[in-house]
Amino acid sequence: MRTKSHNDNISVHAISGSHVVILAMDFIHPIASSPDLSLSMTASSSEPGNESTPTLGTHQVQCVGFFIERRDVATNDKVSLNFGGKPIQKLMWGDYDVVPGKDYLYTIYRMMEADSSLSPGMKFTTYGEALRVKVRTEDPSFGTHGVFFNRGCAGSQAYAAKFGEFRKFHRVEHGGHIQWKSVINPREIPVPEKSKEALAWLSRGLEEALLGFISKATGNGYQIRAAVYEFTHKETLQALADAIERGVDVKIIRHCKYAHHSGDDTLIPDDATRSAEEAIAKVAFHSLESAQKWQDDTFIERSHSSDLMHNKFIVLTMNGHPFEVWTGSVNFTDSGIYGQSNVGHVVRDHDVARRFLDYWNALSTDRPGRSHDGDSMDDYVEQQQPDLFGRIVSPSMHVVFSPRKTSAMLQWYAGRMSEAIHSVHFTEAFSISQPIAEVLKANPNPIEADLVAKFRKSRSVVEPPTTEVIRRSPRIAKQNNRVRFALSIGSSIGRGKSSETCLRYLLFDSKPSQSHSAKSHDRAAMKGADYTDYYDFKSIKSNRIAFGATIQNAMSGRAQESLTGLTNWVPFIHTKYMIIDALTENPTIITGSANFSEASTTRNDENMLIIQGDTLVADIYFTEFMRLFEHYYFRDRCNDPKFNGNRSSEDDLVLNETWVYPYYDPSNQLFRERCLFGSCV
């Protein structure tokens, strides 16, 4: 849901998903009519809820941020989004504590420093007219699409505060080096109630949605057809076993790969195969008949894929008629549900469910992934869904399966990214494929040179100080005329420019090492080929990049952050999705099991959904993306050596209007963000 509201001074664009609401604020008049071109104004201060009654008299004030209050419309419960009563000094703010299917009313005030002589003990107070906006969060239980994200950020202050008493330290080897790693494993919390609470907090509805999906098959006449890669989550296995005992016809294709042991003919299963076999053997049943059916007549081994049987989907059918499918990035493991970021996506569409069932039937024959005899999976999938070309009709939904004969679909994904007009939101768990890396290396729709030149000239040929310099230097911070003039120029050239300021948000699991990058470049050069990676596109102004991380060294007033210890492989970001022009009326969402890679396109068994023109789905993916991006972007800055000497600076407030400066500097990414997210009325 998207809602805009404004008064005479500020505006807000509210975008609600199911568990997240993003509030994008902006100033209607970044400058007043006063000669000093300031955001400042003569205003009467007031308390929230009583804005018509002056309480602090009349002052020349500066806006030092926002006060934001959320009210649950049904219960009238009110919660302030301000930590410790401090002003929010960002034009974009996320509320991550909402629940699906509820109405909320947000009230926003500007804030200023309080007059200590009039209000002893108060450091900040609100002033001016309140701005209110009402939203309703999406309910994934209804409609064509149900989108369920887990928490995906165990390494957080909240998890440490709730369950830090159960932290343990483990000695691990990583990259040939011995390290001590702290973990808070929810499965190992010795207090059953706290363990259950931790699992629920991390799952955030993903596990509940998955088990609820399976439980829809209530008995005779229902069929469950699943294709799984990693398969060890005991609650999921038990739910499927319980379905068998209810009389449901359950069939599961599972990844099954073996390699010959060196020196003899012994077959050694890979980790995914071995761990699934062990988990399957542990499931218990009330009846011997059901137990035998589970062991002997439920599983189909997929051993002839070209590489991985990497699907993670379940189709529900009734009397042979498919009606619903569960897909997405989440493996059926503890790590997939409680650890790394993942999404489960339910599609309640008979045609889409039928296409998944047909694909499942083809996989069940264990035909080879690729061959030259015309009876391979790549032949089948391209007959069912030829490669897409160019733009697709809106609204529409497409299902793309793998393996495919060529990487043309990977090129198509890169092409959609290159054609983005306003924004790209992209997650990647592994290395970036070359077609997409080449797009990221280019600067889309760069800001015109004369625009930046105009801005620089307006600064009296003085190079603007960086945000950090402004924060650290009271002397520079007092030079408000320079900054205010920048605000006025930003106001005149910034509105309505989103089409010229495309911004790409990139969220990756980890940063590649420079040595690995150098080796990759060298190998490509030896073959006479080009190679592009993070170090080639990190400095492009259109790319705003975050990596999975925890705060490595203690900051003032902050707890030590720990992961769950459920995996050492892809600990942060495991989702595979891309959103093109998320906030337009015609967004593109690409999501599924496949990493945007050559292997996922041409060798693995995979599936992807391409959803065109569905703003509800886009809003859920967008809000969840921004939640995680903001979480990890902050941690990346905390861990940056440039800030090690002043680690508490992230908590410091700017006690004047200079905090707004980056949002009106055309050379700053926050300027583009303001144009992209804000409500320009």
Side-chain angles (χ1 to χ4, degrees):
M1 177 181 181
R2 307 170 187 182
T3 308
K4 295 182 179 182
S5 182
H6 68 94
N7 58 24
D8 290 339
N9 298 294
I10 53 178
S11 64
V12 63
H13 184 189
I15 306 105
S16 61
S18 51
H19 286 272
V20 179
V21 175
I22 298 293
L23 301 170
M25 283 78 70
D26 202 356
F27 293 97
I28 297 294
H29 305 291
I31 59 172
S33 57
S34 55
D36 63 357
L37 302 177
S38 172
L39 279 171
S40 306
M41 59 173 286
T42 301
S44 296
S45 302
S46 60
E47 295 299 321
N50 191 29
E51 59 268 23
S52 61
T53 305
T55 59
L56 296 179
T58 302
H59 301 275
Q60 186 75 19
V61 299
Q62 291 196 31
C63 177
V64 296
F66 297 106
F67 170 87
I68 305 177
E69 178 185 82
R70 179 189 72 231
R71 179 169 71 85
D72 185 320
V73 174
T75 65
N76 208 37
D77 292 337
K78 298 178 180 180
V79 177
S80 170
L81 304 190
N82 297 63
F83 297 111
K86 296 179 180 179
I88 293 171
Q89 293 190 333
K90 294 184 70 175
L91 291 189
M92 187 199 73
W93 197 249
D95 183 2
Y96 310 141
D97 289 326
V98 296
V99 296
K102 299 203 70 174
D103 294 310
Y104 296 98
L105 180 67
Y106 290 90
T107 302
I108 305 169
Y109 285 92
R110 289 166 293 165
M111 296 191 78
M112 67 178 187
E113 282 194 279
D115 188 329
S116 58
S117 64
L118 297 176
S119 303
M122 288 183 62
K123 192 169 183 179
F124 303 101
T125 187
T126 60
Y127 74 96
E129 180 186 0
L131 174 63
R132 293 182 174 88
V133 62
K134 185 178 179 181
V135 303
R136 181 171 181 81
T137 51
E138 305 294 350
D139 189 341
S141 302
F142 302 97
T144 302
H145 297 277
V147 182
F148 303 89
F149 279 81
N150 64 352
R151 186 80 57 177
C153 53
S156 64
Q157 292 296 295
Y159 190 59
K162 290 176 178 289
F163 309 105
E165 63 182 297
F166 305 108
R167 181 183 290 108
K168 293 183 178 180
F169 291 87
H170 297 265
R171 187 173 180 266
V172 297
E173 182 177 347
H174 183 71
H177 301 284
I178 300 299
Q179 299 176 344
W180 285 95
K181 183 171 67 173
S182 69
V183 301
I184 307 173
N185 188 326
R187 290 287 195 192
E188 296 179 356
I189 292 177
V191 182
E193 295 78 9
K194 296 296 288 186
S195 175
K196 184 177 180 180
E197 180 186 351
L199 292 169
W201 190 88
L202 293 165
S203 166
R204 191 169 164 261
L206 177 60
E207 178 186 51
E208 294 82 353
L210 173 58
L211 301 184
F213 180 87
I214 295 171
S215 71
K216 289 183 178 181
T218 55
N220 291 328
Y222 283 93
Q223 299 87 34
I224 288 176
R225 297 293 182 261
V228 301
Y229 174 51
E230 294 181 329
F231 190 60
T232 59
H233 181 244
K234 63 182 183 181
E235 286 82 358
T236 299
L237 272 70
Q238 190 61 57
L240 292 165
D242 291 344
I244 289 176
E245 296 212 290
R246 291 194 299 270
V248 178
D249 177 11
V250 178
K251 294 288 187 292
I252 302 169
I253 301 171
R254 67 180 183 91
H255 168 86
C256 195
K257 285 288 186 179
Y258 294 85
H260 285 283
H261 186 273
S262 59
D264 58 43
D265 292 330
T266 304
L267 291 176
I268 306 297
D270 66 8
D271 288 343
T273 303
R274 176 190 50 77
S275 58
E277 290 174 349
E278 294 172 353
I280 290 168
K282 292 179 181 178
V283 178
F285 290 82
H286 294 291
S287 75
L288 178 60
E289 180 184 1
S290 295
Q292 291 173 334
K293 185 178 293 186
W294 173 259
Q295 292 294 337
D296 302 331
D297 194 35
T298 296
F299 295 96
I300 301 168
E301 295 184 351
R302 175 69 173 137
S303 59
H304 287 94
S305 60
S306 296
D307 202 337
L308 304 179
M309 208 302 297
H310 199 243
N311 287 296
K312 317 107 172 26
F313 70 81
I314 305 172
V315 183
L316 293 182
T317 76
M318 177 61 174
N319 295 325
H321 300 290
F323 61 92
E324 208 163 316
V325 61
W326 170 287
T327 185
S329 68
V330 59
N331 284 307
F332 305 112
T333 63
D334 282 3
S335 173
I337 292 173
Y338 311 122
Q340 60 200 190
S341 170
N342 273 302
V343 59
H345 191 131
V346 174
V347 183
R348 307 178 183 100
D349 180 279
H350 292 268
D351 180 62
V352 170
R354 164 59 64 186
R355 297 200 58 203
F356 271 88
L357 180 60
D358 290 344
Y359 175 62
W360 186 94
N361 286 330
L363 287 174
S364 70
T365 64
D366 196 25
R367 65 182 75 180
R370 309 186 71 173
S371 72
H372 300 291
D373 60 8
D375 190 33
S376 58
M377 282 304 301
D378 61 349
D379 286 306
Y380 170 81
V381 298
E382 293 207 1
Q383 290 170 5
Q384 297 299 310
Q385 173 63 71
D387 293 332
L388 298 176
F389 294 95
R391 297 181 180 179
I392 55 180
V393 175
S394 178
S396 64
M397 180 162 40
H398 304 260
V399 185
V400 177
F401 297 113
S402 294
R404 308 186 72 80
K405 289 185 175 297
T406 72
S407 60
M409 280 308 303
L410 181 59
Q411 298 286 349
W412 188 87
Y413 300 142
R416 301 292 71 71
M417 179 183 283
S418 70
E419 292 177 357
I421 298 173
H422 301 275
S423 65
V424 172
H425 295 80
F426 177 65
T427 69
E428 182 58 84
F430 303 98
S431 60
I432 312 301
S433 67
Q434 289 306 288
I436 288 178
E438 286 297 325
V439 173
L440 298 177
K441 188 178 178 180
N443 195 6
N445 304 317
I447 297 178
E448 298 154 357
D450 61 340
L451 182 67
V452 177
K454 178 181 179 181
F455 178 73
R456 297 300 186 204
K457 185 177 180 180
S458 73
R459 302 293 300 274
S460 302
V461 200
V462 177
E463 190 69 16
T466 66
T467 306
E468 287 302 315
V469 169
I470 290 174
R471 285 180 176 273
R472 296 179 186 183
S473 171
R475 177 182 62 81
I476 295 178
K478 289 180 181 179
Q479 296 176 356
N480 287 328
N481 285 338
R482 173 187 294 175
V483 177
R484 292 169 186 169
F485 194 46
L487 294 175
S488 70
I489 297 297
S491 171
S492 65
I493 64 181
R495 297 190 181 278
K497 290 290 183 179
S498 60
S499 63
E500 298 175 358
T501 56
C502 181
L503 194 55
R504 298 183 295 218
Y505 289 81
L506 312 174
L507 181 56
F508 303 139
D509 181 74
S510 61
K511 182 186 295 185
S513 69
Q514 288 183 303
S515 62
H516 182 272
S517 174
K519 291 177 181 177
S520 297
H521 279 85
D522 290 343
R523 283 195 296 268
M526 291 176 64
K527 298 177 182 178
D530 294 327
Y531 180 80
T532 303
D533 67 7
Y534 161 75
Y535 294 97
D536 299 302
F537 59 70
K538 69 173 184 176
S539 60
I540 300 298
K541 289 293 185 180
S542 296
N543 297 335
R544 192 162 171 81
I545 305 172
F547 296 94
T550 58
I551 296 175
Q552 295 302 302
N553 299 302
M555 290 176 63
S556 175
R558 295 188 180 274
Q560 179 181 356
E561 296 182 345
S562 304
L563 297 180
T564 60
L566 296 172
T567 183
N568 291 320
W569 182 247
V570 193
F572 299 103
I573 306 298
H574 189 254
T575 48
K576 307 98 168 40
Y577 66 89
M578 180 193 305
I579 324 171
I580 306 298
D581 293 330
L583 297 180
T584 69
E585 292 303 310
N586 189 28
T588 305
I589 306 98
I590 305 169
T591 182
S593 71
N595 297 293
F596 294 88
S597 68
E598 180 82 22
S600 291
T601 307
T602 63
R603 297 195 296 276
N604 292 352
D605 299 338
E606 306 271 12
N607 69 89
M608 293 294 265
L609 292 172
I610 302 171
I611 304 165
Q612 187 69 40
D614 193 317
T615 58
L616 184 152
V617 175
D619 289 351
I620 296 175
Y621 274 88
F622 164 77
T623 54
E624 293 291 346
F625 182 101
M626 294 309 302
R627 172 180 69 89
L628 289 173
F629 185 91
E630 290 292 300
H631 175 87
Y632 288 121
Y633 188 82
F634 172 75
R635 281 150 182 80
D636 292 339
R637 284 176 58 85
C638 291
N639 296 334
D640 192 320
K642 291 185 295 185
F643 302 104
N644 280 347
N646 189 28
R647 299 186 63 82
S648 63
S649 64
E650 292 287 349
D651 293 326
D652 292 343
L653 291 171
V654 177
L655 301 182
N656 52 41
E657 292 162 358
T658 58
W659 67 274
V660 186
Y661 159 71
Y663 294 94
Y664 293 87
D665 176 354
S667 66
N668 196 296
Q669 288 181 334
L670 292 178
F671 170 87
R672 300 184 178 200
E673 183 173 274
R674 179 180 66 86
C675 294
L676 174 64
F677 295 166
S679 172
C680 299
V681 294

